[in-house]
Amino acid sequence: MQNKRAIFGAKGLPYLLLAPQLIITAIFFLWPAGQAIWQSFLREDAFGIKTTFVALENYSRLFADPSYLNALKVTVVFALSTAALSMGVALVLALAVDRTLRSARIYSTLLIWPYAVAPAVAGVLWWFMFNPTIGILPYLLKGVGYGWNHALDRGDAMTLVVISAAWKQISYNFLFFVAGLQAIPASLREAAAIDGAGPVRRFWTITLPLLSPTTFFLLVVTIVYTMFDTFGVIDAITEGGPAQSTNILVYKVYQDGFVGLNLGSSAAQSVVLMGIVIVLTVIQFRFVERRVNY
Amino acid sequence: MATLTLESLGKTYDSGASAVSGINIDVADGEFLVLVGPSGCGKSTLLRMIAGLETVTHGSIRIGPREVNRLEPADRDIAMVFQNYALYPHMSVRENLSYGLRNRRMARAEITRRVEEAARILEIGDFLERKPRALSGGQRQRVAMGRAIVREPSVFLFDEPLSNLDAKLRVTMRGEIRNLQKRLGTTSVYVTHDQLEAMTLADRLVVLRAGKVEQIGTPLEVYQRPASTFVAEFIGSPAMNLLDGVMEHGRLAIGTATMRLPDAHCGPVRVGVRAEDLRAVPGGTQGALPVRLSYVEELGSQRLGHFDCAGARLIAAFPSGQGLSEEMALMADPEALHLFGADGMRLT
Ligand SMILES: Nc1ncnc2c1ncn2[C@@H]1O[C@H](COP(=O)(O)OP(=O)(O)OP(=O)(O)O)[C@@H](O)[C@H]1O
Ligand SMILES: [Mg+2]
């Protein structure tokens, strides 16, 4: 291994080859991130003429602001519900595929398609299906006596964005769960069957614990996805409404910054989000290296 | 404790491939039966059918008086030791041993008693709280055995349980399995492709070939009277020598050598002779085979001479001190010869 380093004779060559990636990272990530951090210490007056340095005041205001705390709560509910729904459904589908693997090709391919759909398009799709006036599902729900209206009802709105966001992520989780299940030797399940564990007990005591590294990985990935990648879903379906009930953090950054033009607060919010993703990533690497549970 | 009866048992996989067929075996209570045969002959399939891990497509399996064809593996009262041990990696050794008992809602105290007992017998008491990945291969093997014995089942099933161990450990574990089985007196079916393991473990031996029973018998019976050239070559090491010969009017001719044989058969035959039944004689002796030495294998206790006999290969065993020369004559007693027909089946 050590000798292989000698391939690069010139000292500068490795840096030259890395340059495109480094430049892209610097221009599109490091520079804006630095800007955001700097901006989060500033405040502009109402007309955008004067800028003053206010140190951490944007942050202290943020955490005293009920609408921000609401957004935080909404985000937690949204992220956990989406993770639970998308992972739960993905796991059930993966278990079904794992049982009958030979005929599972077509089935798997179909299940992967939603992942290729852009979040905004997925949002519009579900928005149509759940449209209170023209949608098919409110019509069916009316049949069982439920008046669906996500434009007015906070619960309906949250349910709809969770379904739309989860639907897209199911494919991804499904693929990982199938791979995870395949990695569990059949003889373990056979041994458990001989040991008197029925299918349900086998699932809870053997399959699920052995799947825990996959599950943990997907939990973090899905939470990161719901916190950052679901902007399109929210924007296409509810725009954060009704009454802020689906206004998640990333959408609020956009609303306060680009719509409300409160750049200092928006920047502070971005920095908080950045902090959250860094923490999640660190947890991810720590645990994946150590392998959860066994 | 129970007998195990297989009656015209057969298995055809969904793909249409017939893995085993027409198996009739009675295993007595407490007997140690070994299934042996080359790779792909259907040993595992047969064992897994008994365990209930493969469906039965023909015939029936009875444990004691009870037909178990349609019972779930858990309800058959069997325990199985897998080739890769199949220990639950996320459970400690203690949890691995007690899992089957907890699933059956056995009382806590009884579980503890049985686990401690098994740990004592198998000498794994020191690492009951460890996870399997922190054990050596031999220790894992013992845990896998322990998981089978705590259940106190009617039948033990083993699928090549020693094939992942090194040669020395394999010999030790072989002895331990044998002793344990005798002590517990549990009916056992053991699968292996290693003929030596089969010979040393078995009360009775079943030689399988392409999904069919080729011969059933005690290790000595199978060794001394192989039912076919297939068994003759498979059981015993070095493999039995097989030469082409012709029988005519009570005389056997192999190449230029002829000898009297009290056998009424006429026509071409395959003649089998074990390496240890051949001895060196002076050239020109009536009935001796002229051979040319190709090389010698020193085994310490004895030496194996590899010879060329008119184009056929021949192996003979000699005491370690005996000198061997380039051109020799070898001979065996008529009683030591095995005659097989053109179809490979034993003639007498
Ligand atoms: N699931 C299956 N579907 C179709 N054919 C199978 C299946 N499992 C095994 N077979 C075939 O059945 C035959 C017997 O297989 P089996 O695993 O019982 O052999 P074996 O004697 O245990 O061999 P080995 O010593 O290599 O373990 C083989 O020809 C194999 O290809
Ligand atoms: Mg096998």
Side-chain angles (χ1 to χ4, degrees):
Chain A
M1 286 302 279
Q2 280 171 349
N3 294 341
K4 293 218 171 129
R5 289 195 175 168
I7 291 171
F8 294 111
K11 279 252 165 66
L13 188 57
Y15 297 100
L16 189 65
L17 293 173
L18 279 175
Q21 187 61 46
L22 291 175
I23 290 169
I24 286 173
T25 310
I27 293 180
F28 291 100
F29 180 72
L30 294 178
W31 190 63
Q35 287 277 303
I37 293 172
W38 175 237
Q39 186 103 55
S40 73
F41 297 135
L42 303 177
R43 158 121 12 97
E44 293 189 2
D45 66 6
F47 306 102
I49 299 167
K50 217 161 64 110
T51 308
T52 39
F53 184 81
V54 295
L56 294 174
E57 198 184 319
N58 280 325
Y59 291 94
S60 55
R61 282 192 182 206
L62 206 54
F63 287 101
D65 178 2
S67 80
Y68 187 71
L69 296 178
N70 172 64
L72 208 56
K73 201 183 76 194
V74 166
T75 306
V76 170
V77 172
F78 176 65
L80 293 183
S81 314
T82 306
L85 182 65
S86 66
M87 289 172 66
V89 173
L91 182 55
V92 169
L93 294 172
L95 285 168
V97 165
D98 192 48
R99 292 192 76 118
T100 54
L101 202 70
R102 252 145 290 155
S103 55
R105 267 291 159 66
I106 303 170
Y107 178 61
S108 304
T109 311
L110 290 178
L111 279 171
I112 291 157
W113 280 356
Y115 193 63
V117 176
V121 175
V124 171
L125 202 77
W126 288 95
W127 178 82
F128 260 114
M129 283 198 281
F130 277 95
N131 188 300
T133 34
I134 57 168
I136 176 97
L137 288 160
Y139 177 75
L140 294 177
L141 284 170
K142 202 168 284 167
V144 298
Y146 186 84
W148 175 275
N149 194 337
H150 63 259
L152 298 176
D153 187 289
R154 308 165 123 241
D156 286 359
M158 179 56 87
T159 309
L160 181 51
V161 291
V162 165
I163 292 177
S164 318
W167 175 68
K168 234 188 76 60
Q169 200 62 10
I170 286 173
S171 319
Y172 184 85
N173 293 346
F174 165 79
L175 279 185
F176 276 83
F177 274 133
V178 169
L181 286 172
Q182 303 263 299
I184 300 177
S187 60
L188 284 185
R189 273 175 268 179
E190 291 171 350
I194 292 175
D195 264 345
V200 176
R201 200 171 152 71
R202 222 143 60 213
F203 173 76
W204 290 110
T205 58
I206 306 290
T207 311
L208 205 54
L210 292 182
L211 218 47
S212 60
T214 310
T215 310
F216 183 78
F217 166 79
L218 289 178
L219 183 66
V220 176
V221 168
T222 308
I223 288 177
V224 171
Y225 157 81
T226 56
M227 295 189 74
F228 301 95
D229 265 4
T230 47
F231 174 85
V233 172
I234 302 284
D235 195 48
I237 301 179
T238 62
E239 296 185 354
Q244 305 286 309
S245 62
T246 56
N247 200 355
I248 61 171
L249 290 175
V250 67
Y251 198 71
K252 194 163 161 54
V253 169
Y254 159 80
Q255 272 201 328
D256 290 357
F258 290 81
V259 183
L261 289 178
N262 187 349
L263 292 183
S265 170
S266 175
Q269 293 181 32
S270 313
V271 173
V272 172
L273 269 177
M274 197 151 67
I276 294 175
V277 84
I278 289 172
V279 169
L280 283 174
T281 313
V282 168
I283 294 177
Q284 171 83 305
F285 278 106
R286 272 284 160 81
F287 277 85
V288 165
E289 265 168 27
R290 221 178 284 155
R291 315 237 12 207
V292 179
N293 210 328
Y294 72 94
Chain B
M1 313 294 116
T3 58
L4 171 68
T5 314
L6 311 181
E7 224 168 68
S8 48
L9 192 62
K11 167 84 185 176
T12 308
Y13 278 111
D14 293 338
S15 59
S18 165
V20 292
S21 61
I23 306 284
N24 288 296
I25 304 173
D26 283 305
V27 189
D29 187 10
E31 186 174 26
F32 200 122
L33 187 85
V34 175
L35 299 175
V36 64
S39 188
C41 69
K43 308 180 293 290
S44 297
T45 304
L46 190 52
L47 196 75
R48 291 167 56 81
M49 283 162 82
I50 301 172
L53 300 173
E54 298 283 355
T55 54
V56 171
T57 50
H58 313 284
S60 82
I61 303 171
R62 271 180 287 129
I63 295 177
R66 191 168 63 131
E67 182 174 297
V68 298
N69 284 24
R70 300 195 176 284
L71 292 185
E72 289 295 317
D75 302 327
R76 296 188 178 200
D77 200 18
I78 49 111
M80 182 155 166
V81 179
F82 290 81
Q83 178 170 5
N84 62 2
Y85 314 139
L87 299 178
Y88 311 121
H90 57 300
M91 296 184 195
S92 68
V93 169
R94 182 187 294 281
E95 288 167 325
N96 263 284
L97 295 185
S98 61
Y99 183 70
L101 306 180
R102 282 181 283 140
N103 286 337
R104 289 179 169 75
R105 308 193 178 287
M106 184 176 282
R108 273 268 184 86
E110 174 67 4
I111 293 181
T112 313
R113 190 191 67 72
R114 286 200 191 185
V115 169
E116 301 289 337
E117 168 79 0
R120 192 183 57 73
I121 295 175
L122 293 165
E123 294 165 18
I124 51 175
D126 289 344
F127 31 83
L128 277 180
E129 309 310 328
R130 279 198 219 162
K131 297 265 170 73
R133 76 170 160 188
L135 301 178
S136 72
Q139 291 165 340
R140 285 179 208 186
Q141 163 61 39
R142 284 161 191 274
V143 175
M145 293 280 302
R147 193 169 60 181
I149 67 177
V150 289
R151 293 257 322 279
E152 299 182 2
S154 300
V155 179
F156 283 142
L157 303 173
F158 300 87
D159 192 354
E160 310 209 19
L162 303 182
S163 58
N164 287 341
L165 302 179
D166 66 60
K168 199 167 163 203
L169 196 52
R170 209 179 307 176
V171 175
T172 325
M173 285 306 294
R174 201 160 75 196
E176 291 194 17
I177 289 181
R178 174 76 202 176
N179 284 340
L180 190 63
Q181 193 271 344
K182 281 291 148 244
R183 180 131 63 103
L184 300 173
T186 309
T187 312
S188 302
V189 181
Y190 186 108
V191 161
T192 178
H193 62 258
D194 179 342
Q195 58 89 21
L196 188 61
E197 203 170 295
M199 293 283 288
T200 48
L201 280 172
D203 288 328
R204 257 193 323 156
L205 201 56
V206 177
V207 184
L208 285 177
R209 176 193 193 182
K212 295 204 165 54
V213 173
E214 189 86 355
Q215 186 170 9
I216 304 184
T218 64
L220 269 189
E221 278 167 13
V222 173
Y223 185 80
Q224 289 170 347
R225 283 185 65 81
S228 64
T229 52
F230 176 80
V231 179
E233 286 187 291
F234 194 77
I235 300 291
S237 173
M240 186 187 277
N241 298 301
L242 286 172
L243 300 165
D244 285 315
V246 181
M247 275 297 291
E248 253 171 356
H249 316 300
R251 291 190 79 77
L252 171 66
I254 303 171
T256 55
T258 62
M259 70 193 314
R260 296 205 137 277
L261 260 194
D263 194 299
H265 185 80
C266 265
V269 291
R270 299 275 282 164
V271 185
V273 57
R274 296 259 178 226
E276 66 268 24
D277 291 330
L278 285 168
R279 61 179 191 281
V281 290
T285 311
Q286 171 68 24
L289 294 166
V291 294
R292 170 181 292 275
L293 182 67
S294 39
Y295 62 95
V296 181
E297 237 181 311
E298 293 293 356
L299 299 184
S301 61
Q302 59 177 2
R303 52 198 324 207
L304 295 181
H306 291 249
F307 299 95
D308 180 273
C309 172
R313 283 168 36 76
L314 201 62
I315 303 175
F318 303 97
S320 53
Q322 178 157 355
L324 301 178
S325 53
E326 193 76 353
E327 305 277 347
M328 294 177 66
L330 297 177
M331 199 171 125
D333 294 334
E335 309 83 68
L337 298 183
H338 307 258
L339 291 193
F340 304 95
D343 58 354
M345 290 325 225
R346 187 178 192 89
L347 289 175
T348 46

